Amino acid sequence: MDRWVGKIAVVTGASSGIGAATAKELAKAGMIVVGMARRVQLIEALKEDLPAEAAARLHAIRCDVTKESDILAAFEIISTKFGGVDVMVNNAGVAELPLNLGEGNSESLARTYKTNVFGLLVGSREAYQSMKARGVDGHIIHMGSLLGRQVPDIPKSSLYSPTKFAVRAITEAMQLELRKENSKIRVTCVSPSLVLTAITEEFAGFGPFLEPIDIAQAVIHVLKCPPNVRVQEVVVRATQDVLNLA
């Protein structure tokens, strides 16, 4: 992680779960971390779990990633206050059930797809533009899922998986574009099995679950790879994972 010490990392959905764990681990590793979420007070509270020098490197910006105006405003603050972004972790995600073909779930579908797909796309675009403008060989990390490889039979959730299929496709599309530009910016998809977060409370009985720190450590692992190595995807599974997924 030496090459990233003092560099700027942006983590969306940093108020809880994987995002909170990742923000803390990056701050402890020496990065200046900007956590983005709707509940900034929860990001500020993360400082209580950090050594003083790491806590001083953690900052919070209010941002609802379903709103492009919020994302653009957040990146303007990041540009003005910190100079830009070097590492982007697109972690924000929701699963507002029911996500199936039932009636009356339009708001759940809209919120989930805007968060998991639209927000990730806009955040990636803005991070890329920041890196390109400054000549930074940065790294963009998308939080995918094993549910982006196969649709499991989990009640009321069949239309959640397509959002994670999209994350994998977006990762490949970005990698293609960057290769054509001879860019050294790297893009990686981290695809865990079920992780114990607020989202997976709806999936009780399909464990065992990974812990958020497990996925944060996977992010650290990806960032530790040398500049000549491009990690396309990291799949993280619980040792006794019972989901029959590819």
Side-chain angles (χ1 to χ4, degrees), residues 18-244:
I18 296 170
T22 301
K24 290 191 292 185
E25 290 302 299
L26 292 175
K28 288 192 289 185
M31 296 197 73
I32 298 168
V33 180
V34 179
M36 291 165 49
R38 290 174 294 168
R39 301 172 295 174
V40 291
Q41 71 277 11
L42 295 182
I43 301 175
E44 295 290 351
L46 299 178
K47 296 180 180 181
E48 299 173 6
D49 299 328
L50 293 172
E53 49 91 18
R57 290 193 291 269
L58 178 60
H59 307 269
I61 295 178
R62 188 193 179 284
C63 181
D64 181 344
V65 298
T66 68
K67 299 177 180 177
E68 184 177 15
S69 58
D70 273 22
I71 299 173
L72 298 181
F75 272 89
E76 182 63 29
I77 293 171
I78 292 165
S79 176
T80 301
K81 187 173 181 178
F82 302 102
V85 56
D86 301 298
V87 170
M88 178 73 187
V89 182
N90 282 303
N91 165 77
V94 296
E96 294 191 2
L97 304 187
L99 293 170
N100 55 14
L101 297 179
E103 296 180 355
N105 63 345
S106 295
E107 289 187 8
S108 295
L109 288 168
R111 182 73 188 173
T112 300
Y113 277 75
K114 285 181 179 178
T115 302
N116 297 5
V117 182
F118 177 77
L120 180 142
L121 278 169
V122 177
S124 295
R125 182 192 69 196
E126 295 306 304
Y128 163 72
Q129 292 296 335
S130 174
M131 294 171 187
K132 182 180 179 180
R134 293 154 46 241
V136 169
D137 297 338
H139 204 138
I140 299 172
I141 298 175
H142 298 151
M143 200 55 60
S145 171
L146 274 184
L147 275 61
R149 289 173 165 268
Q150 185 175 328
V151 181
D153 186 14
I154 298 177
K156 301 180 181 180
S157 67
S158 60
L159 296 182
Y160 170 75
S161 283
T163 70
K164 295 303 183 178
F165 273 79
V167 171
R168 290 183 65 229
I170 291 165
T171 302
E172 293 185 23
M174 290 181 64
Q175 289 167 344
L176 175 62
E177 283 201 38
L178 292 169
R179 285 198 301 273
K180 290 169 67 175
E181 293 182 8
N182 293 316
S183 173
K184 293 183 180 179
I185 297 171
R186 295 179 292 176
V187 186
T188 300
C189 183
V190 176
S191 298
S193 54
L194 295 179
V195 182
L196 192 59
T197 67
I199 290 178
T200 52
E201 288 176 359
E202 301 283 355
F203 301 153
F206 290 88
F209 295 98
L210 294 162
E211 296 288 341
I213 185 63
D214 300 326
I215 313 309
Q217 290 293 341
V219 171
I220 295 291
H221 169 74
V222 168
L223 292 174
K224 283 182 176 179
C225 291
N228 64 306
V229 174
R230 177 174 62 86
V231 180
Q232 177 162 320
E233 183 179 13
V234 174
V235 175
V236 187
R237 302 188 69 149
T239 303
Q240 300 298 325
D241 192 348
V242 298
L243 284 177
N244 186 24

